[in-house]
Amino acid sequence: MIDLAKVGLKDFTRSAKILILTNTIYAFVLPVIDIFVASYIMRNSNDPSKVILYQLAIYVGIPITFFINGFLLNKINIKRLFSLGMILSGVSMVFMMSLDEINYTGIAIAGLIMGMSFGLYWANRDYLVLATTKDRTRNFYYGLETFLYTIIASTVPVLIGWFLMSGEVEGDLSNEGVNSAYRVITMIVFGITILASIVFHFGTYEKPKNEKFLYFKFHKLWKKMLQLAVLKGLAQGFIVTAPAMLMMKFFQSEGALGSAISIGAVIAAVIMLLLGKYSKPKHRLAIFSVGLICFFLASFFNGLLFNTTGVILFMFLLLIARPVLDIAYFPIQLKVIDLLSSIENRNEFSYILNHEFGLFVGRFLGAGTFLVIAFYINTDIALRYALLIIGVLQLLSIIIAKQLLKQQETLENETFTSKNIGTQNKDAIEVDVTTVQ
């Protein structure tokens, strides 16, 4: 039996290592996209609804680009598509910073471009991980990647936050001084996306097999996976935008925002590395449950206190919840794709695409919940209780994940038994033919 505790970098191919390096470089961009674009909108509009609207535009762009990516994969090398996805994130930020006024039209266009970026990046990234790793190495792959991302995410927000405040330190108390700093960061981001694209081209990657990728009927096991996707999508918008909105509301400073994001991040990074190296596939449900409980507690304390203390507790628990959820969720998803693509003889990308539409439904419902509460009651109530509603609903994922893993194990055993019977019958026929001769 393979000792999964000994899985390490030696178990990865050269292309998998280059993919990890590429994602590590691009990780310097992600905190800027996740946090400071939202804080830029808040600073220049003071309207949380515009932040959520920006996220909705992103969420519209992602599934559309996933779908288009399916056609492009048959004509364009996956390296170019993946690289374009990274570079477009810089293009979106450049467009946002060039707006004279943060209006709904500008936000929608910037959001759609960022959605296209995410669509190309994640559609191809998921496939690349699926193609370059095995199930036994995926806990370590995501643990290592999350460790590196969390370390970067613990330092970048602090550096950027205080750099953004340099405009005020220099005596420019208006938004223009800070906005100038935002523009400098945007150009740095653009340069990093180009560097990550260059590094990625040193790897060798095959495109998905066969051309058909759009299906509407799937195995019943995949329906369980889609239920998880919808629940995961519910929280995604809040995971990205809530920190910036809450921090800008209670602390009024990107410097404080950056410092708060870094609280507990190093601890979370070490936890991710240890979980990735020493956990086994059988531990994924427990890890997933811990992540969901941490997210619930984060939303609970935010709703209960709704002050600076509540925000700090929310940020600390979210820093743990987000990577813990990912380190369990992604291997579960990829294992299901491995199994069903073999049984149904379909392109792996068809499952990645369909999964994205499940996420989109969840994102739309989650962001919609916030907007409805914000417009019909008020923004503070939305910030306080929409997160709590999502946190409670997400706990259902524990039950669904348990059912999914049980069904997956049953299906694996049935498939294994069926293959064995087929092999035995084939051997028996060969013996009979030999006897007759």
Side-chain angles (χ1 to χ4, degrees), residues 154-273:
S154 70
T155 54
V156 170
V158 174
L159 296 175
I160 292 178
W162 293 110
F163 177 71
L164 289 173
M165 290 299 94
S166 65
E168 293 187 4
V169 172
E170 291 170 4
D172 186 354
L173 298 178
S174 68
N175 275 350
E176 187 52 39
V178 180
N179 286 344
S180 295
Y182 269 110
R183 294 186 189 102
V184 172
I185 290 169
T186 298
M187 299 315 297
I188 293 173
V189 164
F190 198 75
I192 292 173
T193 61
I194 293 173
L195 175 62
S197 300
I198 293 171
V199 170
F200 177 66
H201 275 74
F202 285 97
T204 303
Y205 308 96
E206 297 179 0
K207 73 174 186 177
K209 63 183 180 183
N210 92 46
E211 297 180 356
K212 186 175 180 181
F213 62 89
L214 185 62
Y215 295 91
F216 297 98
K217 292 184 179 180
F218 289 86
H219 192 280
K220 62 181 180 180
L221 180 64
W222 186 249
K223 294 177 182 178
K224 283 290 179 186
M225 192 68 237
L226 285 183
Q227 290 174 17
L228 277 186
V230 171
L231 289 171
K232 179 181 174 65
L234 281 174
Q236 281 194 337
F238 292 102
I239 285 175
V240 173
T241 58
M245 290 190 289
L246 289 169
M247 290 300 299
M248 292 299 288
K249 175 178 177 60
F250 288 105
F251 291 87
Q252 300 295 319
S253 166
E254 283 91 346
L257 173 59
S259 299
I261 294 297
S262 298
I263 295 174
V266 175
I267 297 173
V270 174
I271 291 172
M272 292 310 101
L273 186 62

Side-chain angles (χ1 to χ4, degrees), residues 12-73:
F12 293 130
T13 63
R14 178 176 177 275
S15 294
K17 292 175 183 176
I18 288 175
L19 181 62
I20 291 173
L21 179 59
T22 301
N23 289 330
T24 300
I25 295 171
Y26 189 63
F28 284 91
V29 173
L30 294 176
V32 184
I33 296 172
D34 287 352
I35 302 164
F36 292 103
V37 173
S39 66
Y40 177 82
I41 297 172
M42 280 291 290
R43 168 173 283 276
N44 288 276
S45 70
N46 196 31
D47 186 354
S49 296
K50 286 186 176 180
V51 178
I52 295 296
L53 216 60
Y54 172 73
Q55 285 299 318
L56 275 176
I58 291 176
Y59 296 154
V60 169
I62 291 174
I64 292 173
T65 311
F66 259 73
F67 179 70
I68 295 172
N69 185 75
F71 290 104
L72 296 177
L73 278 173

Side-chain angles (χ1 to χ4, degrees), residues 75-119:
K75 299 179 179 180
I76 301 175
N77 191 298
I78 193 170
K79 289 183 181 180
R80 295 181 181 179
L81 293 174
F82 189 66
S83 298
L84 179 61
M86 291 186 285
I87 291 171
L88 278 177
S89 60
V91 172
S92 174
M93 288 187 63
V94 170
F95 178 82
M96 174 75 78
M97 301 304 157
S98 69
L99 294 174
D100 293 328
E101 179 187 356
I102 303 296
N103 53 43
Y104 291 108
T105 302
I107 286 174
I109 295 172
L112 284 171
I113 296 172
M114 191 64 80
M116 292 170 64
S117 166
F118 287 165

Side-chain angles (χ1 to χ4, degrees), residues 275-391:
L275 280 177
K277 188 166 182 63
Y278 294 106
S279 66
K280 302 179 181 181
K282 67 181 181 181
H283 298 138
R284 287 170 185 166
L285 179 61
I287 295 171
F288 190 54
S289 300
V290 169
L292 289 167
I293 292 169
C294 284
F295 183 84
F296 166 73
L297 290 175
S299 63
F300 174 77
F301 285 119
N302 174 69
L304 179 67
L305 302 175
F306 202 62
N307 56 22
T308 53
T309 303
V311 172
I312 291 172
L313 286 172
F314 171 78
M315 294 300 306
F316 179 79
L317 288 166
L318 189 62
L319 280 168
I320 297 174
R322 187 177 183 182
V324 168
L325 283 170
D326 286 348
I327 200 176
Y329 184 91
F330 287 123
I332 290 172
Q333 176 197 351
L334 297 187
K335 180 64 180 293
V336 172
I337 293 175
D338 271 339
L339 179 61
L340 293 183
S341 62
S342 175
I343 292 173
E344 298 183 304
N345 193 29
R346 292 180 179 177
N347 183 345
E348 294 94 338
F349 184 75
S350 64
Y351 298 94
I352 295 172
L353 172 64
N354 193 257
H355 179 264
E356 184 58 34
F357 281 102
L359 289 175
F360 173 74
V361 172
R363 291 164 182 159
F364 185 83
L365 292 174
T369 300
F370 178 91
L371 287 175
V372 168
I373 296 174
F375 278 117
Y376 288 98
I377 305 178
N378 64 56
T379 301
D380 282 354
I381 295 296
L383 281 172
R384 188 169 188 173
Y385 295 112
L387 272 168
L388 184 57
I389 293 171
I390 301 304

